[in-house]
Amino acid sequence: MAVQWPLLIFSVLLGVSSGILVFLGVGEIKGVFKKSRSVLAICALVLLVIGGCASAFHLDHIDRALYILGNPTSSFSRELFAVGFAAVMALVYAILSRKDYPKPTKVIGILGMVAGLVLPLVAGTSFMMAARPAWDSFLMPLMYLGTGLGMGFAFGAAFVAGKGDGAETGFAAKLALVGVVVSAVVSLAYVAWIGMAPHPDPSRSVDLLFSGSLAMPFWLGVVVLGVVIPLVLAFVALRSAGKGGSVAVASVGADGTAAAPATAGLGVSAPLWMAFVCLLVGNVALRVIMYGVATSVEQLIYVF
């Protein structure tokens, strides 16, 4: 199956946005990230809008989206409604977080987190179909959710670390590591499913990934850029955050300056931004593979 680039771009940006919303929701529960939450919410909203526009181009005619909305029971309608709900939550949260409304902000932040968890599952479920065995598993929506958490958490943590708050930087780095680990697990789990999917066929075999036409996006894109390097960078960031906290306290106690937190934040944000970029490329490669193995089982299509 040819790569559907508008949908690929949509799914990747949707993942980043959803991950940011979950990151912000966790921050609201813990009472942190208050200096960064408004800008991060705007970033999530912008990414959803860009992704939605990219998805619309897949329809060739934009007005066809109205026909999809006319069938609320379809998977694509549920996806559009989920995107709309997430966008509204991101917008309202961005506005409230700039004001002094702690309780409404927390409620909307948690609702945004729920939207960030549900949206990738809805989007991934829309691809599940028996006629395409490599897609017909709940590992598909889990892959969408897990990789989104990895990208969104890395993005959010890198932004928070850039603010230079030592205490928040440490917690953000921990979240980033959790997200990267989850992303690695679900990515490799989905690859394993490709090998275990029913109706095996050379056109959707793991041999294509290990040594065939999809070996480059798999080994370089998924394994190296999508798993190994982000894990290493996330560990480096977390270690730097731990060291930076100690240096910051010592510096403030000795001469009263706040230079150390900024330095520590840079030491954490730089590897996290690199991890985010690697995850972004790795997720593009993973979705290229997803389309590359999406050959159909004809007897399941032409059943009357």
Side-chain angles (χ1 to χ4, degrees):
M1 182 179 184
V3 177
Q4 306 298 306
W5 286 104
L7 292 181
L8 186 153
I9 294 171
F10 167 64
S11 68
V12 172
L13 296 183
L14 174 150
V16 181
S17 180
S18 298
I20 293 173
L21 289 176
V22 176
F23 180 86
L24 290 172
V26 174
E28 279 299 323
I29 294 173
K30 298 291 289 186
V32 293
F33 310 150
K34 293 184 179 180
K35 295 180 181 179
S36 308
R37 58 188 184 179
S38 179
V39 176
L40 285 175
I42 293 173
C43 289
L45 176 61
V46 171
L47 291 173
L48 275 178
V49 171
I50 295 174
C53 292
S55 177
F57 282 106
H58 178 69
L59 301 174
D60 292 330
H61 297 282
I62 307 299
D63 58 316
R64 292 180 182 175
L66 299 177
Y67 298 120
I68 295 175
L69 291 174
N71 181 14
T73 61
S74 71
S75 60
F76 295 106
S77 292
R78 291 194 295 269
E79 186 176 317
L80 286 176
F81 288 133
V83 169
F85 179 72
V88 170
M89 291 300 101
L91 176 60
V92 175
Y93 183 77
I95 295 172
L96 288 178
S97 61
R98 296 184 64 88
K99 307 294 183 179
D100 189 20
Y101 303 120
K103 290 185 178 179
T105 301
K106 187 171 185 176
V107 171
I108 296 299
I110 293 174
L111 287 176
M113 179 178 67
V114 173
L117 292 171
V118 172
L119 177 54
L121 295 176
V122 173
T125 303
S126 67
F127 283 87
M128 293 172 60
M129 55 189 76
R132 301 191 186 277
W135 291 3
D136 193 28
S137 169
F138 201 70
L139 283 171
M140 176 71 77
L142 286 181
M143 181 266 284
Y144 270 51
L145 173 60
T147 55
L149 292 178
M151 292 185 291
F153 280 20
F155 185 101
F159 188 87
V160 169
K163 293 291 186 178
D165 189 318
E168 292 191 355
T169 295
F171 181 64
K174 290 178 182 178
L175 285 181
L177 179 58
V178 170
V180 171
V181 170
V182 171
S183 177
V185 170
V186 296
S187 297
L188 297 179
Y190 175 68
V191 170
W193 166 253
I194 294 173
M196 298 184 297
H199 312 291
D201 187 86
S203 64
R204 47 184 175 270
S205 169
V206 290
D207 292 338
L208 294 174
L209 281 62
F210 294 157
S211 58
S213 58
L214 296 174
M216 181 66 74
F218 174 67
W219 291 111
L220 180 59
V222 175
V223 175
V224 177
L225 294 177
V227 174
V228 177
I229 294 180
L231 283 173
V232 172
L233 290 171
F235 274 112
V236 170
L238 183 58
R239 187 174 179 181
S240 298
K243 291 181 179 180
S246 301
V247 172
V249 172
S251 178
V252 172
D255 55 19
T257 65
T263 304
L266 180 61
V268 178
S269 64
L272 287 177
W273 281 123
M274 290 187 286
F276 167 71
V277 172
C278 288
L279 287 169
L280 200 65
V281 176
N283 273 277
V284 171
L286 183 60
R287 283 157 176 77
V288 168
I289 290 173
M290 185 188 92
Y291 283 105
V293 297
T295 54
S296 61
V297 180
E298 292 185 1
Q299 64 265 32
L300 295 180
I301 298 177
Y302 302 108
V303 173
F304 297 94

